[in-house]
């Protein structure tokens, strides 16, 4: 084999050559990325418990708003984080460290040139921005200053998402997860401390800025090592300017409506009700989107993997990896959704207080429906992105924007927080269906539901008694726990015997015994 070619060894009996090796890398990388989400999530749950009580629902709503506003401008980097990952992975596929380093530097330069004006606008117009979202008068000055600091953090985060490219292209998610986890945990631990010391919302965003700067330093050092000194050079790759701009421009064309589709209901809810209602909804959305965080982490493994399998010789391996990913996602989603359904109300009540337990539970149940479909859609999304057909996603998202906003405004005005949750879930369900159709047409990957779909649908019946008991007697926590664990045991046996194929069972057994080669 040519040393410049990708070396991927077959590991699943009966599978196509090369696919299993990449599958193992993706699974290992995904496990690291999921771990990198679980640890900060656990710390966040504890930290937020204190933050809500120290700031109150009103103050917490303002803090959520300050964190949310920069998210509306994640497209300001012109898509360079995704473009850098795609083209950097392709350079790594032929083991060209020099070109990969040039791609990272070129993408970082473009990102800074395009995002600085946006950050400057947020910085200088922060007072005007916070007044438009009904921030209480006594919190407007603090909110304005906090937003100025958040605009700087916004730039640091964009750079982090580009300079970590060498880690992603090598599927070294362990390194990427460690840096990100350390950064986030430090910021989360500092959050209640600075509030307790009297620094309020401004202290929180300052602590987050410092932790993100430390994360950027970590990514720079690790990526420099992986590129064997080819990161801190002064040259850029002018020949890559056009491909990066083209890909990034299409990504932005998809990101602008994408950001609206993901976050519009929060802004509409805050504008039509209050920051307190936004706080109730934010708690619901945080727990519901917890699963989305995990699938989003998997994308960071899938995009470089799919990008390295775009050649004609590896097309079959790409399709196999795609189908395997959809199947595995469908298997784990069912018990995860049921678990969240059971714990929602007692969790909200204990974690955030009785008011949140009363106001946040129902929108959470509604959001779960959309999240279930949204989770599976990460597979077609990644395949479309890796194929370079970002224009197809852009067209889809733009088509969805106007109907979604109209639906959200109408439902939110009529039903408040319940309407906002319903609008988000309806959009997520429709969007996931269209993404699967697009993946088939533009990325040449297909998931044939067939017998697997029927069997997977049948497997959900195992959890019906648990759900019924939860609805009728949510106070029977011990019996719910026992019934859920029994259902998990039956479901696991069913998945092993029925849903997984023989090659998949053999592969999984080997991986579990070896601990995925100790990750």
């Amino acid at each position: 084999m040519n040393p410049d070619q990708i070396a991927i060894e077959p590991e699943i009996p009966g599978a196509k050559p090369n696919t299993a090796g990449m599958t193992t890398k993706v699974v290992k990388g995904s496990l690291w990325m999921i771990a990198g989400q679980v640890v900060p999530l656990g710390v966040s749950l504890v930290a937020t418990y204190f933050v809500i009580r120290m700031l109150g629902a009103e103050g917490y709503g303002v803090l959520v708003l300050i964190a949310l506003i920069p998210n509306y401008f994640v497209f300001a980097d012109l898509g360079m984080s995704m473009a850098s990952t795609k083209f950097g992975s392709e350079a790594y596929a032929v083991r060209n460290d020099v070109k990969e380093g040039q791609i990272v530097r070129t993408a970082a330069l473009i990102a800074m040139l395009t995002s600085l004006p946006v950050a400057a606008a947020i910085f200088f117009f922060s007072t005007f921005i916070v007044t438009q979202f009904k921030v209480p008068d006594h919190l407007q000055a603090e909110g304005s200053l906090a937003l100025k600091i958040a605009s700087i953090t916004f730039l640091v985060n964009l750079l982090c998402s580009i300079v970590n490219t060498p880690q992603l292209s090598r599927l070294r998610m362990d390194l990427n997860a460690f840096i990100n986890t350390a950064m986030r945990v430090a910021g989360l631990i500092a959050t209640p401390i600075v509030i307790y010391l009297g620094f309020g919302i401004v202290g929180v965003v300052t602590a987050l800025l410092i932790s993100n700067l430390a994360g950027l330093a970590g990514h720079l050092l690790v990526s420099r090592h992986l590129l064997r000194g080819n990161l801190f050079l002064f040259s850029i790759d002018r020949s890559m300017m056009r491909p990066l701009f083209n890909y990034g421009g299409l990504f932005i064309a998809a990101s602008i409506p994408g950001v609206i589709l993901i976050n519009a209901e929060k802004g509409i809810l805050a504008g039509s009700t209050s920051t307190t209602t936004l706080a109730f909804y934010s708690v619901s959305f945080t727990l519901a989107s917890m699963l989305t965080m995990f699938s989003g982490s998997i994308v960071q493994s899938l995009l470089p993997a799919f990008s390295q399998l775009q050649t004609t010789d590896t097309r079959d391996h790409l399709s196999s990896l795609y189908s395997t990913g959809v199947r595995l996602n469908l298997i784990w989603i069912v018990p995860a959704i049921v678990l969240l359904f059971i714990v929602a109300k007692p969790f909200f009540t204990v974690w955030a207080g009785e008011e949140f337990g009363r106001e946040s539970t129902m929108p959470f149940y509604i959001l779960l429906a959309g999240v279930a479909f949204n989770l599976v859609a990460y597979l077609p999304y990644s395949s479309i992105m890796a194929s370079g057909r970002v224009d197809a996603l852009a067209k889809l998202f733009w088509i969805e924007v106007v109907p979604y906003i109209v639906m959200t405004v109408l439902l939110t005005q009529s039903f408040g927080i319940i309407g906002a949750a319903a609008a988000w879930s309806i959009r997520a369900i429709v969007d996931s269906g269209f993404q699967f159709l697009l993946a088939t047409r533009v990325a040449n990957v297909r998931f044939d539901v067939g017998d697997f779909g029927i069997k997977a649908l049948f497997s959900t019946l195992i959890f019906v008694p648990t759900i019924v008991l939860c609805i009728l007697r949510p106070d029977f926590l011990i019996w719910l726990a026992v019934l859920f664990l029994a259902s998990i045991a039956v479901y696991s046996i069913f998945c092993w015997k029925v849903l997984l194929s023989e090659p998949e069972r053999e592969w999984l057994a080997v991986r579990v015994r070896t601990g995925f080669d100790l990750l």
Side-chain angles (χ1 to χ4, degrees):
M1 177 180 290
N2 188 319
D4 287 338
Q5 294 178 332
I6 309 171
I8 311 170
E9 299 177 359
E11 298 170 25
I12 301 179
K16 298 286 187 182
N18 295 342
T19 306
M22 186 63 80
T23 300
T24 301
K25 291 181 180 180
V26 169
V27 173
K28 289 172 62 176
S30 298
L31 289 175
W32 275 110
M33 295 307 294
I34 289 173
Q37 293 284 354
V38 170
V39 174
L41 180 62
V43 177
S44 176
L45 294 177
V46 176
T48 305
Y49 174 88
F50 295 102
V51 171
I52 291 176
R53 283 156 177 78
M54 286 189 284
L55 291 180
E58 189 176 60
Y60 180 68
V62 174
L63 179 60
V64 170
L65 184 64
I66 296 301
L68 175 65
I69 289 173
N71 287 336
Y72 285 104
F73 302 97
V74 291
F75 56 84
D77 72 340
L78 204 61
M80 288 303 106
S81 59
M82 299 296 284
S84 179
T85 299
K86 173 178 168 55
F87 292 110
S89 297
E90 292 175 354
Y92 172 69
V94 294
R95 303 301 190 264
N96 192 336
D97 290 348
V98 174
K99 185 176 183 64
E100 186 180 359
Q102 290 177 329
I103 289 172
V104 174
R105 291 192 298 275
T106 305
L109 175 62
I110 295 173
M112 285 298 97
L113 292 176
T114 57
S115 58
L116 271 172
V118 175
I122 296 175
F123 186 94
F124 289 111
F125 294 100
S126 60
T127 300
F128 173 78
I129 293 172
V130 298
T131 58
Q132 300 307 302
F133 285 94
K134 296 186 177 180
V135 172
D137 292 342
H138 67 282
L139 290 174
Q140 286 185 4
E142 186 177 13
S144 175
L145 179 57
L147 188 56
K148 291 180 186 295
I149 299 171
S151 69
I152 302 173
T153 307
F154 165 72
L155 291 176
V156 175
N157 283 333
L158 291 183
L159 278 177
C160 286
S161 67
I162 295 173
V163 299
N164 69 345
T165 293
Q167 302 159 40
L168 301 182
S169 60
R170 288 157 181 77
L171 293 176
R172 288 303 307 270
M173 304 306 177
D174 52 338
L175 300 174
N176 187 64
F178 177 79
I179 296 170
N180 289 337
T181 300
M183 171 191 71
R184 292 179 60 190
V185 167
L188 289 168
I189 291 176
T191 296
I193 295 176
V194 296
I195 296 175
Y196 177 76
L197 294 176
F199 294 104
I201 296 173
V202 172
V204 172
V205 294
T206 301
L208 294 176
L209 172 60
I210 294 172
S211 66
N212 277 273
L213 285 170
L216 176 60
H219 283 304
L220 287 170
L221 291 175
V222 170
S223 293
R224 176 184 179 277
H225 174 73
L226 293 176
L227 284 176
R228 294 176 290 188
N230 287 303
L231 180 63
F232 295 151
L233 301 178
F234 294 100
S235 63
I236 61 173
D237 190 346
R238 294 186 179 181
S239 67
M240 287 301 302
M241 295 284 283
R242 187 179 184 87
L244 285 168
F245 268 118
N246 288 342
Y247 185 89
L250 290 173
F251 179 73
I252 293 310
S255 293
I256 295 175
V259 169
I260 296 173
L261 293 172
I262 293 174
N263 296 304
E265 87 287 358
K266 303 178 188 68
I268 292 172
L269 186 64
S272 61
T273 57
S274 66
T275 55
T276 300
T277 304
L278 176 62
F280 294 142
Y281 182 84
S282 178
V283 166
S284 299
F285 194 85
T286 297
L287 185 60
S289 61
M290 180 176 67
L291 298 179
T292 307
M293 295 178 194
F294 298 155
S295 289
S297 299
I298 295 173
V299 171
Q300 291 192 293
S301 295
L302 286 174
L303 181 59
F306 284 167
S307 296
Q308 294 177 40
L309 295 175
Q310 289 299 310
T311 63
T312 303
D313 293 340
T314 57
R315 180 62 60 179
D316 290 342
H317 314 325
L318 172 62
S319 297
S320 178
L321 178 59
Y322 174 80
S323 296
T324 300
V326 175
R327 287 161 60 90
L328 294 179
N329 246 3
L330 289 173
I331 288 174
W332 77 267
I333 282 173
V334 176
I337 292 292
V338 174
L339 175 61
L340 290 179
F341 189 91
I342 294 172
V343 304
K345 187 169 185 177
F347 172 79
F348 290 141
T349 302
V350 173
W351 179 55
E354 289 187 11
E355 191 177 15
F356 283 85
R358 182 177 62 255
E359 301 293 338
S360 299
T361 303
M362 185 54 66
F364 172 78
Y365 288 154
I366 297 171
L367 287 170
L368 274 183
V371 167
F373 283 84
N374 186 257
L375 289 172
V376 189
Y378 277 99
L379 272 297
Y381 174 85
S382 299
S383 66
I384 296 169
M385 291 292 295
S387 72
R389 290 298 310 275
V390 193
D391 59 313
L393 285 173
K395 293 174 184 176
L396 171 63
F397 293 161
W398 277 114
I399 290 173
E400 293 177 354
V401 166
V402 173
Y404 174 59
I405 290 179
V406 172
M407 176 179 64
T408 302
V409 170
L410 293 176
L411 290 178
T412 301
Q413 289 180 346
S414 300
F415 304 102
I417 191 173
I418 299 298
W424 191 93
S425 285
I426 292 171
R427 193 276 313 166
I429 293 170
V430 173
D431 176 75
S432 63
F434 280 117
Q435 288 202 41
F436 271 96
L437 291 175
L438 276 181
T440 300
R441 292 191 175 188
V442 306
N444 280 332
V445 291
R446 177 188 300 273
F447 175 70
D448 295 320
V449 179
D451 291 340
F452 177 84
I454 297 174
K455 295 173 182 176
L457 183 62
F458 179 78
S459 70
T460 62
L461 298 178
I462 296 172
F463 293 98
V464 168
T466 305
I467 296 174
V468 171
L469 180 60
C470 181
I471 295 173
L472 297 179
R473 298 301 301 267
D475 54 323
F476 276 29
L477 295 180
I478 295 179
W479 288 109
L480 277 171
V482 171
L483 186 55
F484 176 73
L485 291 175
S487 300
I488 283 289
V490 175
Y491 181 75
S492 299
I493 295 172
F494 183 87
C495 290
W496 185 262
K497 297 289 187 180
V498 179
L499 294 184
L500 294 176
S501 65
E502 182 62 28
E504 288 171 338
R505 288 196 293 269
E506 293 179 4
W507 174 82
L508 185 59
V510 171
R511 294 302 118 198
V512 171
R513 282 198 299 268
T514 60
F516 280 93
D517 300 325
L518 299 179
L519 295 180

